[in-house]
Amino acid sequence: MRIVIAEDTVLLREGLAGLLEDAGHEVVARVGDAEALLAVVAEHQPELAVVDVRMPPTYEDEGTRAAVEIRSRYPGTAVLVLSQSVEARHAVELVRGGGGFGYLLKDRVLDVDDFLDAVRRVAAGGSALDPEVVATLLEPDGAADPLSDLTAREREVLGLMAEGRANAAIAQRLWLTEKTVETHVRSILAKLGLQVSEQDNRRVLAVLAYLRSPSA
């Protein structure tokens, strides 16, 4: 897989590059700001861009804005955003762009196997959302809680769906049969008024977009 990395901290940037190259991927460019990121994506059109949320010159949302532009202009390039803390507003904007997207806290990189699994999922068109980001997204921000009709088990399943887990992985995590998970998923989508989809990433993105939409 061909990857570009945008991270202003040299130590983390080189660490990520080494980690990905050791896993057999090709890091075609390593940059420290959003402008350079857009240039190398245009040049290489990689399968994946790993992007820091906060980069020079203001260290606010340069990475986020670059990620949005990449997803708009280069649909063949998946985006994995890394952030020091949960910023739900950015996550929601990017999640609504479709599959091939991940949002992880930088601490998750320390769990190498999970991080590399997220890289593979996102590059394949799936999703990978940090559990802390998921928890924030699932918090109702208005008087009406769209999750009020869900059982405790269905909320657990929904949380894992939002992380980008397939039914088989959810079944393993919760010690359930895959058929039971399928039943829960159908019930969740029905209660939320969402169309059932066989494509897991669309299912996840639809749920998250619904939960954070103004009408929810």
Side-chain angles (χ1 to χ4, degrees):
M1 183 195 312
R2 297 164 65 253
I3 301 173
V4 300
I5 299 172
E7 165 61 54
D8 66 287
T9 304
V10 176
L11 185 61
L12 180 55
R13 184 169 70 232
E14 295 305 311
L16 286 169
L19 184 64
L20 292 167
E21 288 174 339
D22 286 347
H25 303 301
E26 180 186 3
V27 178
V28 296
R30 317 171 193 192
V31 299
D33 62 76
E35 184 176 351
L37 168 63
L38 293 174
V40 295
V41 169
E43 178 183 357
H44 298 286
Q45 298 197 24
E47 284 78 27
L48 177 69
V50 179
V51 183
D52 183 14
V53 167
R54 297 176 181 270
M55 289 190 289
T58 67
Y59 294 94
E60 292 184 355
D61 62 351
E62 285 86 354
T64 300
R65 287 188 280 109
V68 171
E69 187 169 346
I70 289 169
R71 283 169 65 72
S72 173
R73 294 174 57 185
Y74 307 101
T77 298
V79 175
L80 176 57
V81 172
L82 300 179
S83 180
Q84 196 67 44
S85 58
V86 178
E87 300 181 39
R89 175 174 58 88
H90 298 315
V92 171
E93 182 178 6
L94 287 162
V95 160
R96 287 175 176 165
F101 170 69
Y103 192 117
L104 300 178
L105 295 184
K106 290 182 179 180
D107 288 349
R108 305 299 175 186
V109 177
L110 298 176
D111 190 330
V112 175
D113 289 340
D114 272 1
F115 174 69
L116 293 176
D117 181 56
V119 166
R120 288 188 291 268
R121 275 207 315 275
V122 171
S127 61
L129 299 184
D130 193 283
E132 289 191 31
V133 175
V134 171
T136 301
L137 290 173
L138 295 183
E139 289 177 359
D141 53 7
D145 180 359
L147 307 183
S148 60
D149 290 337
L150 302 187
T151 66
R153 177 62 84 185
E154 287 170 346
R155 285 174 180 251
E156 285 184 296
V157 172
L158 178 59
L160 292 170
M161 285 169 58
E163 289 178 30
R165 307 291 178 179
N167 287 352
I170 295 173
Q172 185 176 23
R173 180 73 66 87
L174 298 180
W175 296 89
L176 300 171
T177 66
E178 192 168 346
K179 185 173 182 180
T180 298
V181 172
E182 291 173 0
T183 300
H184 284 312
V185 170
R186 290 184 179 277
S187 175
I188 291 166
L189 297 181
K191 288 179 179 179
L192 294 179
L194 296 170
Q195 183 177 359
V196 175
S197 170
E198 296 302 322
Q199 300 186 38
D200 288 332
N201 60 307
R202 289 185 179 179
R203 171 186 73 181
V204 171
L205 296 167
V207 170
L208 290 176
Y210 172 85
L211 293 175
R212 296 296 295 181
S213 68
S215 60

mmCIF file of all heavy atoms in Angstrom, residues 33-52:
data_model
loop_
_atom_site.group_PDB
_atom_site.id
_atom_site.type_symbol
_atom_site.label_atom_id
_atom_site.label_comp_id
_atom_site.label_asym_id
_atom_site.label_seq_id
_atom_site.Cartn_x
_atom_site.Cartn_y
_atom_site.Cartn_z
ATOM 1 N N ASP A 33 3.249 19.854 7.036
ATOM 2 C CA ASP A 33 2.187 20.858 7.018
ATOM 3 C C ASP A 33 1.146 20.497 5.963
ATOM 4 O O ASP A 33 1.380 19.653 5.086
ATOM 5 C CB ASP A 33 2.742 22.262 6.765
ATOM 6 C CG ASP A 33 3.430 22.384 5.417
ATOM 7 O OD1 ASP A 33 2.738 22.460 4.397
ATOM 8 O OD2 ASP A 33 4.681 22.395 5.391
ATOM 9 N N ALA A 34 -0.012 21.157 6.052
ATOM 10 C CA ALA A 34 -1.152 20.810 5.203
ATOM 11 C C ALA A 34 -0.908 21.148 3.740
ATOM 12 O O ALA A 34 -1.350 20.412 2.843
ATOM 13 C CB ALA A 34 -2.409 21.520 5.705
ATOM 14 N N GLU A 35 -0.246 22.255 3.468
ATOM 15 C CA GLU A 35 0.013 22.642 2.081
ATOM 16 C C GLU A 35 0.876 21.600 1.378
ATOM 17 O O GLU A 35 0.600 21.196 0.251
ATOM 18 C CB GLU A 35 0.708 24.006 2.043
ATOM 19 C CG GLU A 35 0.922 24.531 0.631
ATOM 20 C CD GLU A 35 1.530 25.923 0.613
ATOM 21 O OE1 GLU A 35 1.619 26.548 1.693
ATOM 22 O OE2 GLU A 35 1.893 26.389 -0.484
ATOM 23 N N ALA A 36 1.916 21.136 2.073
ATOM 24 C CA ALA A 36 2.762 20.100 1.501
ATOM 25 C C ALA A 36 1.995 18.792 1.341
ATOM 26 O O ALA A 36 2.204 18.049 0.371
ATOM 27 C CB ALA A 36 3.990 19.890 2.386
ATOM 28 N N LEU A 37 1.088 18.512 2.276
ATOM 29 C CA LEU A 37 0.267 17.301 2.187
ATOM 30 C C LEU A 37 -0.539 17.283 0.899
ATOM 31 O O LEU A 37 -0.554 16.286 0.170
ATOM 32 C CB LEU A 37 -0.669 17.208 3.392
ATOM 33 C CG LEU A 37 -1.785 16.161 3.310
ATOM 34 C CD1 LEU A 37 -1.215 14.760 3.216
ATOM 35 C CD2 LEU A 37 -2.726 16.292 4.503
ATOM 36 N N LEU A 38 -1.232 18.376 0.620
ATOM 37 C CA LEU A 38 -2.053 18.430 -0.595
ATOM 38 C C LEU A 38 -1.187 18.272 -1.840
ATOM 39 O O LEU A 38 -1.609 17.628 -2.815
ATOM 40 C CB LEU A 38 -2.824 19.750 -0.643
ATOM 41 C CG LEU A 38 -3.902 19.911 0.441
ATOM 42 C CD1 LEU A 38 -4.501 21.311 0.390
ATOM 43 C CD2 LEU A 38 -4.997 18.862 0.276
ATOM 44 N N ALA A 39 0.016 18.801 -1.806
ATOM 45 C CA ALA A 39 0.915 18.698 -2.959
ATOM 46 C C ALA A 39 1.349 17.251 -3.200
ATOM 47 O O ALA A 39 1.338 16.770 -4.339
ATOM 48 C CB ALA A 39 2.137 19.590 -2.761
ATOM 49 N N VAL A 40 1.710 16.528 -2.122
ATOM 50 C CA VAL A 40 2.185 15.160 -2.317
ATOM 51 C C VAL A 40 1.045 14.205 -2.650
ATOM 52 O O VAL A 40 1.238 13.225 -3.370
ATOM 53 C CB VAL A 40 2.980 14.651 -1.085
ATOM 54 C CG1 VAL A 40 4.246 15.466 -0.910
ATOM 55 C CG2 VAL A 40 2.141 14.651 0.180
ATOM 56 N N VAL A 41 -0.158 14.491 -2.148
ATOM 57 C CA VAL A 41 -1.304 13.660 -2.526
ATOM 58 C C VAL A 41 -1.606 13.837 -4.011
ATOM 59 O O VAL A 41 -1.885 12.871 -4.729
ATOM 60 C CB VAL A 41 -2.545 13.999 -1.671
ATOM 61 C CG1 VAL A 41 -3.798 13.329 -2.250
ATOM 62 C CG2 VAL A 41 -2.344 13.541 -0.234
ATOM 63 N N ALA A 42 -1.546 15.086 -4.486
ATOM 64 C CA ALA A 42 -1.769 15.351 -5.907
ATOM 65 C C ALA A 42 -0.708 14.657 -6.761
ATOM 66 O O ALA A 42 -1.005 14.133 -7.841
ATOM 67 C CB ALA A 42 -1.747 16.854 -6.173
ATOM 68 N N GLU A 43 0.525 14.639 -6.271
ATOM 69 C CA GLU A 43 1.624 14.029 -7.027
ATOM 70 C C GLU A 43 1.562 12.510 -7.031
ATOM 71 O O GLU A 43 1.701 11.870 -8.081
ATOM 72 C CB GLU A 43 2.965 14.475 -6.441
ATOM 73 C CG GLU A 43 4.171 13.846 -7.126
ATOM 74 C CD GLU A 43 5.495 14.234 -6.481
ATOM 75 O OE1 GLU A 43 5.469 15.050 -5.519
ATOM 76 O OE2 GLU A 43 6.539 13.719 -6.926
ATOM 77 N N HIS A 44 1.348 11.914 -5.874
ATOM 78 C CA HIS A 44 1.437 10.456 -5.750
ATOM 79 C C HIS A 44 0.090 9.741 -5.797
ATOM 80 O O HIS A 44 0.046 8.550 -6.105
ATOM 81 C CB HIS A 44 2.145 10.094 -4.442
ATOM 82 C CG HIS A 44 3.556 10.578 -4.351
ATOM 83 N ND1 HIS A 44 4.591 10.009 -5.053
ATOM 84 C CD2 HIS A 44 4.103 11.601 -3.625
ATOM 85 C CE1 HIS A 44 5.720 10.636 -4.771
ATOM 86 N NE2 HIS A 44 5.454 11.612 -3.906
ATOM 87 N N GLN A 45 -1.000 10.446 -5.444
ATOM 88 C CA GLN A 45 -2.331 9.846 -5.335
ATOM 89 C C GLN A 45 -2.261 8.481 -4.638
ATOM 90 O O GLN A 45 -2.573 7.440 -5.238
ATOM 91 C CB GLN A 45 -2.982 9.754 -6.716
ATOM 92 C CG GLN A 45 -3.177 11.128 -7.336
ATOM 93 C CD GLN A 45 -4.165 11.161 -8.489
ATOM 94 O OE1 GLN A 45 -5.041 10.299 -8.586
ATOM 95 N NE2 GLN A 45 -4.026 12.150 -9.336
ATOM 96 N N PRO A 46 -1.846 8.486 -3.380
ATOM 97 C CA PRO A 46 -1.656 7.238 -2.630
ATOM 98 C C PRO A 46 -2.980 6.590 -2.251
ATOM 99 O O PRO A 46 -4.050 7.193 -2.370
ATOM 100 C CB PRO A 46 -0.917 7.714 -1.376
ATOM 101 C CG PRO A 46 -1.471 9.092 -1.167
ATOM 102 C CD PRO A 46 -1.617 9.678 -2.550
ATOM 103 N N GLU A 47 -2.899 5.359 -1.767
ATOM 104 C CA GLU A 47 -4.098 4.671 -1.277
ATOM 105 C C GLU A 47 -4.554 5.242 0.059
ATOM 106 O O GLU A 47 -5.727 5.180 0.391
ATOM 107 C CB GLU A 47 -3.830 3.169 -1.120
ATOM 108 C CG GLU A 47 -3.814 2.382 -2.426
ATOM 109 C CD GLU A 47 -2.518 2.554 -3.187
ATOM 110 O OE1 GLU A 47 -1.476 2.822 -2.555
ATOM 111 O OE2 GLU A 47 -2.534 2.405 -4.421
ATOM 112 N N LEU A 48 -3.605 5.792 0.840
ATOM 113 C CA LEU A 48 -3.947 6.274 2.178
ATOM 114 C C LEU A 48 -3.119 7.503 2.541
ATOM 115 O O LEU A 48 -1.920 7.557 2.261
ATOM 116 C CB LEU A 48 -3.701 5.178 3.223
ATOM 117 C CG LEU A 48 -3.950 5.545 4.694
ATOM 118 C CD1 LEU A 48 -5.447 5.760 4.944
ATOM 119 C CD2 LEU A 48 -3.412 4.462 5.627
ATOM 120 N N ALA A 49 -3.779 8.474 3.194
ATOM 121 C CA ALA A 49 -3.089 9.621 3.782
ATOM 122 C C ALA A 49 -3.318 9.590 5.287
ATOM 123 O O ALA A 49 -4.461 9.531 5.745
ATOM 124 C CB ALA A 49 -3.616 10.926 3.199
ATOM 125 N N VAL A 50 -2.241 9.603 6.059
ATOM 126 C CA VAL A 50 -2.316 9.669 7.518
ATOM 127 C C VAL A 50 -2.079 11.123 7.894
ATOM 128 O O VAL A 50 -1.007 11.680 7.613
ATOM 129 C CB VAL A 50 -1.271 8.753 8.182
ATOM 130 C CG1 VAL A 50 -1.368 8.858 9.699
ATOM 131 C CG2 VAL A 50 -1.475 7.311 7.740
ATOM 132 N N VAL A 51 -3.066 11.755 8.534
ATOM 133 C CA VAL A 51 -3.058 13.210 8.692
ATOM 134 C C VAL A 51 -3.244 13.629 10.150
ATOM 135 O O VAL A 51 -4.185 13.188 10.817
ATOM 136 C CB VAL A 51 -4.199 13.840 7.846
ATOM 137 C CG1 VAL A 51 -4.164 15.359 7.945
ATOM 138 C CG2 VAL A 51 -4.103 13.392 6.390
ATOM 139 N N ASP A 52 -2.363 14.524 10.618
ATOM 140 C CA ASP A 52 -2.521 15.119 11.941
ATOM 141 C C ASP A 52 -3.565 16.228 11.853
ATOM 142 O O ASP A 52 -3.588 16.996 10.882
ATOM 143 C CB ASP A 52 -1.174 15.691 12.396
ATOM 144 C CG ASP A 52 -1.220 16.267 13.806
ATOM 145 O OD1 ASP A 52 -2.198 15.993 14.531
ATOM 146 O OD2 ASP A 52 -0.293 16.993 14.168
#
